[in-house]
Short mmCIF file of all heavy atoms in Angstrom, two decimals:
data_model
loop_
_atom_site.label_atom_id
_atom_site.label_comp_id
_atom_site.label_asym_id
_atom_site.label_seq_id
_atom_site.Cartn_x
_atom_site.Cartn_y
_atom_site.Cartn_z
N ASN A 1 100.72 103.55 88.65
CA ASN A 1 101.58 104.54 89.32
C ASN A 1 101.22 104.63 90.79
O ASN A 1 100.03 104.67 91.15
CB ASN A 1 101.41 105.92 88.67
CG ASN A 1 101.75 105.88 87.18
OD1 ASN A 1 102.84 105.49 86.79
ND2 ASN A 1 100.79 106.30 86.35
N TYR A 2 102.22 104.64 91.63
CA TYR A 2 102.03 104.77 93.07
C TYR A 2 102.80 106.02 93.52
O TYR A 2 103.92 105.94 94.04
CB TYR A 2 102.52 103.51 93.79
CG TYR A 2 101.87 102.25 93.26
CD1 TYR A 2 102.49 101.48 92.28
CD2 TYR A 2 100.62 101.85 93.71
CE1 TYR A 2 101.89 100.34 91.77
CE2 TYR A 2 100.00 100.72 93.21
CZ TYR A 2 100.64 99.97 92.23
OH TYR A 2 100.04 98.85 91.73
N TYR A 3 102.20 107.16 93.28
CA TYR A 3 102.85 108.43 93.57
C TYR A 3 103.00 108.60 95.08
O TYR A 3 102.05 108.42 95.84
CB TYR A 3 102.05 109.59 92.99
CG TYR A 3 101.96 109.55 91.48
CD1 TYR A 3 100.76 109.25 90.83
CD2 TYR A 3 103.08 109.81 90.69
CE1 TYR A 3 100.66 109.21 89.44
CE2 TYR A 3 103.01 109.78 89.30
CZ TYR A 3 101.80 109.47 88.69
OH TYR A 3 101.73 109.43 87.32
N GLY A 4 104.20 108.95 95.51
CA GLY A 4 104.49 109.10 96.94
C GLY A 4 105.10 107.87 97.56
O GLY A 4 105.52 107.89 98.72
N ARG A 5 105.16 106.78 96.81
CA ARG A 5 105.76 105.54 97.33
C ARG A 5 107.27 105.71 97.44
O ARG A 5 107.94 106.06 96.47
CB ARG A 5 105.44 104.37 96.38
CG ARG A 5 106.07 103.05 96.82
CD ARG A 5 106.28 102.12 95.66
NE ARG A 5 107.19 102.68 94.68
CZ ARG A 5 108.51 102.69 94.79
NH1 ARG A 5 109.10 102.20 95.87
NH2 ARG A 5 109.25 103.23 93.83
N GLU A 6 107.79 105.41 98.62
CA GLU A 6 109.23 105.48 98.82
C GLU A 6 109.77 104.26 99.55
O GLU A 6 110.82 103.73 99.20
CB GLU A 6 109.61 106.75 99.60
CG GLU A 6 109.32 108.05 98.86
CD GLU A 6 109.71 109.27 99.68
OE1 GLU A 6 110.18 109.07 100.83
OE2 GLU A 6 109.54 110.40 99.18
N SER A 7 109.05 103.79 100.56
CA SER A 7 109.60 102.79 101.47
C SER A 7 109.29 101.35 101.07
O SER A 7 109.98 100.43 101.54
CB SER A 7 109.07 103.04 102.89
OG SER A 7 109.37 104.35 103.31
N ILE A 8 108.28 101.14 100.27
CA ILE A 8 107.88 99.77 99.90
C ILE A 8 108.00 99.61 98.40
O ILE A 8 107.56 100.47 97.64
CB ILE A 8 106.42 99.49 100.36
CG1 ILE A 8 106.31 99.65 101.88
CG2 ILE A 8 106.00 98.08 99.96
CD1 ILE A 8 104.92 99.40 102.42
N TRP A 9 108.60 98.49 98.00
CA TRP A 9 108.78 98.23 96.57
C TRP A 9 107.43 98.09 95.87
O TRP A 9 106.46 97.61 96.44
CB TRP A 9 109.59 96.96 96.35
CG TRP A 9 111.04 97.09 96.77
CD1 TRP A 9 111.69 98.22 97.15
CD2 TRP A 9 111.99 96.02 96.83
NE1 TRP A 9 113.00 97.94 97.45
CE2 TRP A 9 113.22 96.60 97.27
CE3 TRP A 9 111.94 94.66 96.57
CZ2 TRP A 9 114.38 95.85 97.44
CZ3 TRP A 9 113.09 93.90 96.74
CH2 TRP A 9 114.29 94.49 97.16
N THR A 10 107.43 98.49 94.61
CA THR A 10 106.21 98.36 93.81
C THR A 10 105.76 96.91 93.72
O THR A 10 104.56 96.60 93.80
CB THR A 10 106.45 98.92 92.39
OG1 THR A 10 106.76 100.30 92.48
CG2 THR A 10 105.21 98.73 91.52
N SER A 11 106.70 95.98 93.56
CA SER A 11 106.34 94.56 93.45
C SER A 11 105.65 94.07 94.71
O SER A 11 104.76 93.21 94.65
CB SER A 11 107.59 93.72 93.17
OG SER A 11 108.53 93.87 94.21
N ARG A 12 106.07 94.60 95.89
CA ARG A 12 105.43 94.20 97.14
C ARG A 12 104.01 94.75 97.21
O ARG A 12 103.09 94.07 97.67
CB ARG A 12 106.25 94.70 98.33
CG ARG A 12 105.71 94.23 99.68
CD ARG A 12 105.86 92.74 99.84
NE ARG A 12 105.29 92.25 101.09
CZ ARG A 12 104.06 91.76 101.23
NH1 ARG A 12 103.24 91.69 100.16
NH2 ARG A 12 103.64 91.33 102.39
N ILE A 13 103.82 95.97 96.75
CA ILE A 13 102.47 96.54 96.73
C ILE A 13 101.56 95.73 95.82
O ILE A 13 100.43 95.40 96.16
CB ILE A 13 102.51 98.02 96.30
CG1 ILE A 13 103.20 98.87 97.36
CG2 ILE A 13 101.11 98.55 96.03
CD1 ILE A 13 103.37 100.33 96.98
N GLU A 14 102.07 95.39 94.64
CA GLU A 14 101.24 94.66 93.67
C GLU A 14 100.98 93.23 94.10
O GLU A 14 100.09 92.57 93.56
CB GLU A 14 101.91 94.70 92.30
CG GLU A 14 101.88 96.10 91.68
CD GLU A 14 102.20 96.10 90.20
OE1 GLU A 14 102.89 95.17 89.75
OE2 GLU A 14 101.75 97.03 89.50
N SER A 15 101.73 92.74 95.09
CA SER A 15 101.46 91.38 95.59
C SER A 15 100.16 91.33 96.39
O SER A 15 99.60 90.25 96.60
CB SER A 15 102.62 90.88 96.45
OG SER A 15 102.69 91.59 97.68
N VAL A 16 99.67 92.51 96.85
CA VAL A 16 98.44 92.52 97.65
C VAL A 16 97.26 93.09 96.89
O VAL A 16 96.12 93.03 97.38
CB VAL A 16 98.65 93.31 98.97
CG1 VAL A 16 99.76 92.71 99.79
CG2 VAL A 16 98.90 94.79 98.70
N THR A 17 97.48 93.68 95.71
CA THR A 17 96.38 94.29 94.97
C THR A 17 95.83 93.35 93.91
O THR A 17 96.56 92.51 93.38
CB THR A 17 96.83 95.60 94.31
OG1 THR A 17 97.93 95.34 93.43
CG2 THR A 17 97.24 96.62 95.34
N ALA A 18 94.56 93.52 93.59
CA ALA A 18 93.95 92.72 92.53
C ALA A 18 94.24 93.32 91.16
O ALA A 18 94.39 92.59 90.17
CB ALA A 18 92.44 92.64 92.75
N ASN A 19 94.34 94.65 91.08
CA ASN A 19 94.63 95.34 89.82
C ASN A 19 96.08 95.78 89.82
O ASN A 19 96.53 96.49 90.73
CB ASN A 19 93.71 96.55 89.66
CG ASN A 19 92.26 96.15 89.46
OD1 ASN A 19 91.85 95.79 88.37
ND2 ASN A 19 91.49 96.19 90.55
N LYS A 20 96.80 95.37 88.79
CA LYS A 20 98.22 95.68 88.73
C LYS A 20 98.67 95.79 87.28
O LYS A 20 97.98 95.34 86.36
CB LYS A 20 99.03 94.64 89.49
CG LYS A 20 98.83 93.21 89.03
CD LYS A 20 99.26 92.21 90.09
CE LYS A 20 98.23 92.09 91.18
NZ LYS A 20 98.56 91.08 92.20
N GLU A 21 99.83 96.35 87.12
CA GLU A 21 100.38 96.59 85.79
C GLU A 21 100.69 95.28 85.07
O GLU A 21 101.16 94.32 85.69
CB GLU A 21 101.64 97.44 85.93
CG GLU A 21 102.27 97.90 84.64
CD GLU A 21 103.46 98.81 84.91
OE1 GLU A 21 103.30 99.79 85.67
OE2 GLU A 21 104.55 98.53 84.37
N LYS A 22 100.43 95.24 83.78
CA LYS A 22 100.69 94.04 82.99
C LYS A 22 102.19 93.76 82.93
O LYS A 22 103.01 94.64 82.71
CB LYS A 22 100.15 94.20 81.57
CG LYS A 22 100.39 92.99 80.68
CD LYS A 22 99.89 93.23 79.26
CE LYS A 22 100.19 92.02 78.37
NZ LYS A 22 99.75 92.25 76.98
N ASP A 23 102.56 92.48 83.16
CA ASP A 23 103.95 92.07 83.06
C ASP A 23 104.38 92.01 81.60
O ASP A 23 103.54 91.91 80.69
CB ASP A 23 104.16 90.70 83.71
CG ASP A 23 104.04 90.77 85.23
OD1 ASP A 23 104.29 91.86 85.78
OD2 ASP A 23 103.70 89.74 85.85
N PHE A 24 105.69 91.99 81.40
CA PHE A 24 106.24 91.94 80.04
C PHE A 24 105.75 90.71 79.29
O PHE A 24 105.44 90.77 78.10
CB PHE A 24 107.77 91.96 80.10
CG PHE A 24 108.42 91.77 78.76
CD1 PHE A 24 108.31 92.75 77.77
CD2 PHE A 24 109.12 90.61 78.47
CE1 PHE A 24 108.91 92.57 76.53
CE2 PHE A 24 109.72 90.43 77.23
CZ PHE A 24 109.62 91.41 76.26
N ILE A 25 105.69 89.59 79.98
CA ILE A 25 105.17 88.35 79.37
C ILE A 25 103.90 87.94 80.12
O ILE A 25 103.77 86.82 80.60
CB ILE A 25 106.22 87.22 79.37
CG1 ILE A 25 106.84 87.05 80.77
CG2 ILE A 25 107.28 87.46 78.33
CD1 ILE A 25 107.79 85.84 80.86
N GLY A 26 102.98 88.90 80.21
CA GLY A 26 101.77 88.67 80.98
C GLY A 26 100.88 87.57 80.44
O GLY A 26 100.02 87.05 81.16
N TRP A 27 101.08 87.18 79.20
CA TRP A 27 100.28 86.10 78.62
C TRP A 27 100.67 84.74 79.17
O TRP A 27 99.91 83.77 79.05
CB TRP A 27 100.46 86.09 77.09
CG TRP A 27 101.91 86.14 76.68
CD1 TRP A 27 102.63 87.25 76.38
CD2 TRP A 27 102.81 85.03 76.54
NE1 TRP A 27 103.92 86.92 76.05
CE2 TRP A 27 104.06 85.55 76.14
CE3 TRP A 27 102.69 83.66 76.70
CZ2 TRP A 27 105.18 84.75 75.92
CZ3 TRP A 27 103.79 82.85 76.49
CH2 TRP A 27 105.03 83.40 76.10
N MET A 28 101.84 84.63 79.80
CA MET A 28 102.31 83.34 80.30
C MET A 28 101.71 83.05 81.67
O MET A 28 101.54 83.95 82.49
CB MET A 28 103.85 83.33 80.38
CG MET A 28 104.43 81.98 80.84
SD MET A 28 106.25 81.97 80.84
CE MET A 28 106.56 82.02 79.06
N TRP A 29 101.41 81.75 81.91
CA TRP A 29 100.83 81.35 83.19
C TRP A 29 101.77 81.72 84.32
O TRP A 29 102.99 81.52 84.25
CB TRP A 29 100.58 79.84 83.20
CG TRP A 29 99.92 79.39 84.47
CD1 TRP A 29 98.58 79.32 84.73
CD2 TRP A 29 100.57 78.99 85.66
NE1 TRP A 29 98.37 78.90 86.01
CE2 TRP A 29 99.57 78.68 86.61
CE3 TRP A 29 101.91 78.86 86.03
CZ2 TRP A 29 99.87 78.24 87.88
CZ3 TRP A 29 102.21 78.42 87.31
CH2 TRP A 29 101.20 78.12 88.23
N GLY A 30 101.21 82.28 85.39
CA GLY A 30 102.01 82.67 86.54
C GLY A 30 102.41 84.12 86.53
O GLY A 30 102.91 84.63 87.54
N PHE A 31 102.21 84.82 85.41
CA PHE A 31 102.53 86.24 85.33
C PHE A 31 101.23 87.05 85.25
O PHE A 31 100.18 86.52 84.86
CB PHE A 31 103.42 86.52 84.11
CG PHE A 31 104.81 85.94 84.24
CD1 PHE A 31 105.07 84.63 83.87
CD2 PHE A 31 105.85 86.71 84.74
CE1 PHE A 31 106.34 84.09 84.00
CE2 PHE A 31 107.13 86.18 84.87
CZ PHE A 31 107.37 84.86 84.49
#
């Protein structure tokens, strides 16, 4: 959760963080 986030997409934030929410098919390479 990124409370207060309005201007930047969640996907863009998670592109720079090491810890992020598990993808729907997170077991697949590249996700």
Side-chain angles (χ1 to χ4, degrees):
N1 302 304
Y2 305 95
Y3 297 109
R5 178 205 61 80
E6 294 180 359
S7 304
I8 300 179
W9 291 352
T10 298
S11 60
R12 184 67 183 95
I13 292 177
E14 291 195 334
S15 70
V16 301
T17 58
N19 292 280
K20 56 200 77 177
E21 186 176 308
K22 180 183 178 181
D23 290 334
F24 174 67
I25 49 174
W27 49 267
M28 182 177 290
W29 183 89
F31 292 86

